[in-house]
Amino acid sequence: MNASALLVKALENEGVEVIYGVPGEENLDFLEALRQSHIELILTRHEQGAAFMAATYGRLTGKPGVCLATLGPGATNLVTGAAYAQLGAFPMVMITGQKPIKASKQGQFQIVDVVEMMRPLTKYTRQIVNVTLIPSTVREAFRLSQEERPGAVHLELPEDIAREPVDKTTTPVFQISRNRRPCAAERLVVQAADMIRAAEYPLLLIGAGANRNRVRSALRRFVEETGIYFFNTQMGKGVVDENSPQCLGTAALSDNDYIHCAIERADLVINVGHDVVEKPPFFMEHGGKQVIHVNFSSAAVDNVYFPQLSVVGDIADSMSRMTIEVGRLEKDQSAFRLVKESLDIHLRELADDLSFPVKPQRLVADVRRVMPHDGVIALDNGVYKIWFARNYPALEPNTVLLDNALASMGAGLPSAMEVARLYPDRRVMAICGDGGLMMNSQELETALRLGLNLVVLVLNDGSYGMIRWKQYAMGFEDFGLQFGNPDFVLHARSYGIGGHRVEKTEDFAPLLEQCFTAGGVHLIDLPVDYSENNRVLIDELRHKVCRI
């Protein structure tokens, strides 16, 4: 056994099933060891695609996804994926190669200090220099990647170390210990319950950190048994069914949206799973509403977030005990009910509009009509993300995958591909802007090669729409953000996948249904009218009046 085979054994011990990546010369010993393993290699067309797929695997399973790249440019191409996993709290392990470190005849060719490059983007980064330490190093990397707060880790395996023989006395695997998270102090849970009962208008906020298996069920019970109203951050969508009569919706903007009428009325917010990487769903003010912070770790305090009480420990345990302590809330919640009724009317506006190009409200409504309760939409990053966050109710956890942490363009397609690979019997859709798709469109070939069932929706407006929207909001002239596109239908067909163009708004939903029924990979080119961005999300909100 050499070091590469030992590393593969250590990965098998961690339960690794698949590795995504683009190998290089420095990975060939590792690649040979992988060939003899049961671990599947998924070859992607760019290292960034491999990292996005690995991070999505971690996001959905809770187990670290693993991706592979060579040295130099291969490793640098993982940087965006590392930041995506680290900010999004998705467990991921990156393995990169390196030139020989004991003797090399290639000088500084392709060499950058990858370990130091990864340090600010990961929880742990190490170069492997001692073969006997591989099992313990891998165990530590996986432990740190999975434990709260999850994130990215990195291991570098130099070419000469990769082929070194393993001493027969080296233990090939380490036992994996399963630790239970510490629980919050009883007095804090009781104090939180007292604050909730004493508040006139308590409101529950569900953030990204609440999207964990046990936490989801505990939160559902809290909502059902207390009768409290709740809202989500963008990455908290679906933790509790958004068709619930107590759901006010998603805070897609930080302030001045219709949902903020309810938030402003609240005198207490129970903030469960708050993560500062997301844009604030509301701004705290001194002397304003009180906030209870419920999370695995204490609050990172800044000028818009300074909770009066922190309940730190296992969230599921905290919320389960709080449910018992609080009991049924017998409060006048008519103000929240009024906001919900008004919001429901507002969010249905233009849902049946027939104008073409399609308006965002009709687009979102048609996607919701076609997608079943467990169908998954994976959004790239653009202004359409705000429309889906506001207008698309998520009925189950992880059925709306969006990134409100790094918010990287190019992630939508690889993320949707991994969902489709993990759940081949579910309807899965990548929703991308024309700008975002072109950053990783080469992965369409990977999707075809993997035999995925996937619909890729391209929202075509010939510009970077999110930045144009911001440009308008800041009072600047429309300048510098428009571009040309390829013929997306021909582009798709050149890969051997279905290519379709929508020419009438009423044709979109039937076409979407047709693509899902047919199976395989399909791309739909849909022209979109983004004038609603300015009318609804800027002009209308400037004159919003809260009538509660």
Side-chain angles (χ1 to χ4, degrees), residues 156-364:
E156 180 179 82
L157 182 64
E159 189 177 6
D160 52 350
I161 304 298
R163 65 175 70 104
E164 277 193 8
V166 177
D167 189 292
K168 292 181 180 179
T169 63
T170 299
T171 303
V173 296
F174 263 61
Q175 183 175 348
I176 299 174
S177 61
R178 302 297 182 191
N179 299 323
R180 185 180 174 90
R181 301 184 188 100
C183 296
E186 181 65 19
R187 64 176 180 80
L188 295 175
V189 174
V190 171
Q191 186 178 348
D194 289 343
M195 290 174 68
I196 295 168
R197 285 195 302 268
E200 190 174 2
Y201 295 108
L203 193 57
L204 173 67
L205 168 59
I206 301 173
N211 194 8
R212 309 285 190 269
N213 283 332
R214 291 177 58 250
V215 176
R216 294 194 289 257
S217 58
L219 274 173
R220 281 194 293 271
R221 286 194 304 273
F222 181 78
V223 169
E224 290 167 1
E225 295 188 23
T226 64
I228 197 168
Y229 275 76
F230 70 94
F231 69 107
N232 317 304
T233 66
Q234 291 189 39
M235 293 178 73
K237 286 184 71 67
V239 171
V240 177
D241 183 351
E242 291 184 61
N243 271 348
S244 163
Q246 290 128 269
C247 179
L248 293 172
T250 301
L253 305 175
S254 291
D255 65 354
N256 201 39
D257 202 348
Y258 289 100
I259 198 171
H260 290 95
C261 293
I263 299 169
E264 288 161 13
R265 170 56 72 94
D267 56 349
L268 174 70
V269 173
I270 307 104
N271 195 348
V272 181
H274 177 74
D275 196 324
V276 292
V277 299
E278 287 203 82
K279 288 184 177 180
F282 67 93
F283 299 125
M284 284 188 70
E285 296 178 357
H286 292 283
K289 66 176 62 60
Q290 291 191 308
V291 172
I292 300 173
H293 173 90
V294 184
N295 214 322
F296 299 106
S297 56
S298 57
V301 174
D302 59 30
N303 63 334
V304 295
Y305 190 67
F306 41 92
Q308 284 79 15
L309 178 68
S310 288
V311 181
V312 176
D314 183 273
I315 297 178
D317 177 77
S318 297
M319 295 310 300
S320 295
R321 288 192 283 156
M322 218 177 289
T323 301
I324 296 169
E325 289 285 339
V326 172
R328 190 74 184 177
L329 289 173
E330 302 298 338
K331 296 180 182 294
D332 178 9
Q333 302 197 77
S334 56
F336 293 153
R337 192 158 48 248
L338 180 60
V339 171
K340 179 172 176 57
E341 290 168 358
S342 301
L343 265 170
D344 288 347
I345 294 169
H346 169 71
L347 295 179
R348 286 197 298 268
E349 288 175 3
L350 301 182
D352 297 310
D353 184 80
L354 290 174
S355 62
F356 188 81
V358 69
K359 287 187 167 58
Q361 299 95 320
R362 175 65 187 261
L363 157 68
V364 175

Side-chain angles (χ1 to χ4, degrees), residues 362-402:
R362 175 65 187 261
L363 157 68
V364 175
D366 277 356
V367 173
R368 181 66 279 179
R369 289 176 183 123
V370 172
M371 296 301 279
H373 67 96
D374 65 346
V376 181
I377 60 172
L379 296 149
D380 205 276
N381 277 280
V383 71
Y384 49 88
K385 186 176 75 172
I386 294 175
W387 287 104
F388 276 91
R390 289 172 98 241
N391 292 45
Y392 186 97
L395 311 183
E396 290 192 13
N398 292 324
T399 53
V400 177
L401 296 188
L402 51 74

Side-chain angles (χ1 to χ4, degrees), residues 441-460:
S441 67
Q442 69 278 355
E443 300 303 344
L444 289 169
E445 187 278 327
T446 310
L448 180 68
R449 178 165 27 94
L450 293 176
L452 302 179
N453 295 314
L454 176 66
V455 173
V456 181
L457 177 63
V458 186
L459 304 178
N460 192 339

